[in-house]
Amino acid sequence: MSWHLSSWYLLLVLLIGLERIAELIVARRNARWSTARGGVTYGRGHYPWMVALHTALLAGCLLEAGLAGRPFVPALGWPMLALVVAAQGLRWWCVVSLGPQWNTQVIVVPGLPLVERGPYRLRLLRHPNYVAVAVEGAALPLVYGAWVTALTFTVLNAALMRVRIRCEEDALASLATATPDGAPPATGRAPA
């Protein structure tokens, strides 16, 4: 089996990898901010699986496209590239909107109001960052025809997101139930 991969696709996947590193830097800074304000971390058990899945996505894109010699099919590749770019835009809109409350981990700060700006003002879309993750996870491999990676990531990510969203909702609910006399919850929105 020979290696055949376009240099522009390699660059795209590497740029997404650098974006992930930037996310981790922002998340670490925001975790310090949250912890200094009494932030509580939930769901530590699933977090390493998330990191592994996202790392495997990037590796899978390169390995499948390169080793299997997947061709670039413009009718599929260009629309998928547009979705990857749109997913990045949505992801960073979430990061900016949540400000220091955004994190790659589930950290909630008691006493902070829910964020209701940016994509979080849309009640229909409760977890917009996870929409960005799902779109990117399917679209990035399909830019260069890596359909096995796209399918595998989508299935595993759906299972992981069930756990993650339940964890996030439980974290917010646990803080909400701590309010006296059934007052509205005064919690920071968990990372999304």
Side-chain angles (χ1 to χ4, degrees):
M1 196 177 280
S2 66
W3 180 262
H4 174 74
L5 184 65
S6 167
S7 58
W8 72 263
Y9 186 63
L10 174 63
L11 179 61
L12 173 65
V13 175
L14 291 176
L15 287 172
I16 297 295
L18 289 174
E19 187 274 335
R20 289 292 191 278
I21 292 169
E23 279 185 22
L24 292 174
I25 291 168
V26 171
R28 184 169 293 141
R29 183 190 69 216
N30 290 350
R32 285 192 302 268
W33 182 92
S34 294
T35 302
R37 287 157 181 78
V40 180
T41 303
Y42 295 83
R44 292 177 196 258
H46 74 266
Y47 185 71
W49 293 105
M50 265 181 48
V51 172
L53 182 61
H54 284 257
T55 302
L57 169 66
L58 300 177
C61 287
L62 297 177
L63 289 173
E64 183 180 353
L67 293 176
R70 300 283 192 237
F72 177 74
V73 178
L76 176 64
W78 293 124
M80 293 301 106
L81 180 59
L83 286 175
V84 169
V85 171
Q88 295 306 312
L90 178 57
R91 169 180 285 121
W92 284 97
W93 189 21
C94 293
V95 171
V96 169
S97 296
L98 288 172
Q101 291 175 257
W102 178 86
N103 209 294
T104 56
Q105 299 182 68
V106 178
I107 304 175
V108 291
V109 180
L112 292 181
L114 285 173
V115 172
E116 294 183 352
R117 64 182 169 272
Y120 296 97
R121 71 176 176 253
L122 307 172
R123 298 281 183 212
L124 183 63
L125 190 61
R126 183 151 168 88
H127 299 280
N129 191 58
Y130 301 147
V131 171
V133 168
V135 168
E136 179 193 69
L140 181 62
L142 291 176
V143 167
Y144 222 82
W147 63 269
V148 173
T149 300
L151 180 62
T152 302
F153 178 86
T154 299
V155 169
L156 294 175
N157 186 58
L160 190 54
M161 283 301 99
R162 286 179 49 106
V163 171
R164 174 67 173 221
I165 289 171
R166 187 177 320 121
C167 173
E168 204 171 282
E169 296 293 336
D170 289 349
L172 290 172
S174 72
L175 291 173
T177 58
T179 60
D181 303 325
T187 62
R189 181 183 283 271

